[in-house]
Amino acid sequence: MSAAAAAEVFAAESPTGSYEQLLYEAAARAGMPRNGPTATEGFGAGLVGALHRPLSWLAARSDLDEWTIATFLRDVDLYLGDSAVRQAVLDTVMETMPTSGELVLVTHSLGTVVGMDLLTRIPDALDPVLLVTAGSPLGLDGVNERLLTRGPHQPPRVRDWVNVWCPTDAVAIGCPLEDERWGKLTQPPVSNGRDHAHKIEEYLGHPEAAQEIGGVLRP
């Protein structure tokens, strides 16, 4: 199955019917014109292709392939659209979360969405001194409007926030976060290696991210 055909399946299985919205918003933010030809391809006895155009547009303007983009958005849509999935994910993370002291929360990809929700549930005795979001889709309205605290907002109680992003990472479309409601944060752009635009190892290997984390953790 091609990535475009898989995306059609993901759209049909979307818990809230919002998968297609996420894909088209990401492509629009990457510069795809609103009107244009719709590519189609054979799939069984019918035709699919409504999602081929935004997928191919994103892939052509990033360092990620169509499959990676399609499946990532499926995961985000499932987390945000299925309350049972969201609750299971948050409960699993909370099982190993400390109950007091200082917290350095380093998040990546879908984890940045989970992290924003998680910060609404941590104990009062836990002090989030630093939040790092890397390769984040939080700039998409179809994502941030469905957080537990809806819309762009300053993460609760976080002292410092670093949002590191790579221009060739299709997951980070919408970065830097420009809405003033996000509050005060540092947003360094970085250049990740070819074929590694979305890799967490690449993001954390840059001084802009590593020094912020090291500065907090260093005795």
Side-chain angles (χ1 to χ4, degrees), residues 92-110:
T92 299
V93 178
M94 286 299 296
E95 287 177 1
T96 57
M97 183 69 64
T99 56
S100 63
E102 294 185 336
L103 173 67
V104 176
L105 187 59
V106 179
T107 63
H108 171 247
S109 195
L110 171 57

Side-chain angles (χ1 to χ4, degrees), residues 92-154:
T92 299
V93 178
M94 286 299 296
E95 287 177 1
T96 57
M97 183 69 64
T99 56
S100 63
E102 294 185 336
L103 173 67
V104 176
L105 187 59
V106 179
T107 63
H108 171 247
S109 195
L110 171 57
T112 65
V113 182
V114 176
M116 292 291 282
D117 282 350
L118 189 71
L119 287 167
T120 68
R121 299 192 172 190
I122 61 174
D124 291 340
L126 199 54
D127 181 14
V129 297
L130 175 65
L131 169 65
V132 175
T133 49
S136 174
L138 289 170
L140 297 178
D141 292 339
V143 173
N144 63 63
E145 292 293 342
R146 297 159 69 195
L147 296 170
L148 290 179
T149 301
R150 296 183 181 277
H153 63 279
Q154 182 74 25

Side-chain angles (χ1 to χ4, degrees), residues 52 82 138 143 153 166-167 179 184 206 209 219:
H52 176 72
D82 189 321
L138 289 170
V143 173
H153 63 279
C166 175
D179 194 307
K184 182 182 177 182
H206 292 286

